[in-house]
Amino acid sequence: MKKLAAGNWKMNGTKASLAEVSALLAAHPAPVCEMLLCPPATLIDRMAETAKGTTLLVGAQDSHAKPQGAHTGDLSVAMLKDAGATHVIVGHSERRTDHGETDDLVRAKAQAVVDAGLIAIVCIGETEAERDAGQTLAVIGTQLDGSIPLGATATNVVVAYEPVWAIGTGRTPTLSEIAEVHSFLRGRLRGLVGEEAAGVRILYGGSVKPSNATDIFAVPHVDGALVGGASLKAADFGAIVAALSAA
Ligand code: PGA
């Protein structure tokens, strides 16, 4: 299994930001791990051009579940693929919160992604109130069961565990809390996809940065990271890529 360093630029970046991509590629032309950036949809096409002939993969942050039609402002998986995306993040907590996305909708989106031959990065994670109430495993287990598409395999689905309270806050769970969740998810995946579960990448996300990446990547069943803020700067994301490559 190749580990995966995935960056999520969220609603950040314009053409000028592609200079960071060139700097990243200059510093890390051939990392041991896979390296993916998910820019805003407006930059997918240009970033895919920049990435051509390199090891950098380019993905999208969301897609509609339907193949086409009257859905103003939305983008289908086919459009994202046409622009150069190979991966699509689905069910990010910001989508679940800002747009009221449910597990059913997330699963429909993930299904559209894998049916189109792309890789779905399915995000799950508990809120702080849920963790404080001791419901973490119950919540993420339910989210995982409800969000994984039919026909999920180690090659078409990646799971990202992102505690909502750790996203963009600078706070992270302890290493033993991360270990508990990731090993729980490995077992839960076995129930869903059988032997394939051993090869499904389970990413940790939420305030991953150069200073904590090495420790987090040493946790069993952490197969990479989904990185927000620290993916915007080549130096920071490059350091995370290097830490994962060395793990
Ligand atoms: P963060 O975001 O790294 O800025 O905390 C992670 C994410 O939302 O994927």
Side-chain angles (χ1 to χ4, degrees), residues 8 10 92-94 162 166-170 205-208 226-230:
N8 171 12
K10 308 191 179 183
H92 189 282
S93 71
E94 286 151 17
E162 300 203 299
I167 294 175
T169 60
S207 296
V208 176
L226 182 54
V227 184

Side-chain angles (χ1 to χ4, degrees), residues 20-183:
E20 293 297 326
V21 180
S22 303
L24 176 70
L25 286 168
H28 301 277
V32 173
C33 68
E34 286 186 350
M35 182 166 71
L36 166 74
L37 283 176
C38 301
T42 47
L43 287 178
I44 292 173
D45 186 40
R46 282 193 189 93
M47 192 183 283
E49 273 301 312
T50 304
K52 210 176 243 167
T54 77
T55 56
L56 178 67
L57 302 164
V58 179
Q61 299 173 15
D62 178 49
S63 69
H64 199 278
K66 297 254 168 65
Q68 75 275 309
H71 302 287
T72 301
D74 280 315
L75 297 168
S76 71
V77 179
M79 292 168 180
L80 299 168
K81 186 177 182 179
D82 184 51
T86 53
H87 296 60
V88 183
I89 298 170
V90 294
H92 189 282
S93 71
E94 286 151 17
R95 301 284 321 171
R96 291 179 186 261
T97 303
D98 293 357
H99 300 273
E101 295 195 1
T102 61
D103 287 340
D104 280 350
L105 180 61
V106 173
R107 174 162 35 204
K109 290 181 175 199
Q111 195 70 56
V113 173
V114 304
D115 288 352
L118 273 62
I119 298 165
I121 301 178
V122 178
C123 301
I124 56 176
E126 83 287 1
T127 64
E128 186 158 32
E130 288 162 345
R131 177 164 282 276
D132 289 346
Q135 295 168 346
T136 298
L137 299 184
V139 166
I140 61 173
T142 301
Q143 287 179 337
L144 187 76
D145 295 353
S147 305
I148 291 291
L150 292 173
T153 67
T155 45
N156 65 17
V157 164
V158 173
V159 172
Y161 167 57
E162 300 203 299
V164 177
W165 53 274
I167 294 175
T169 60
R171 298 164 57 206
T172 56
T174 64
L175 298 176
S176 62
E177 286 169 340
I178 296 174
E180 178 190 32
V181 169
H182 279 244
S183 104

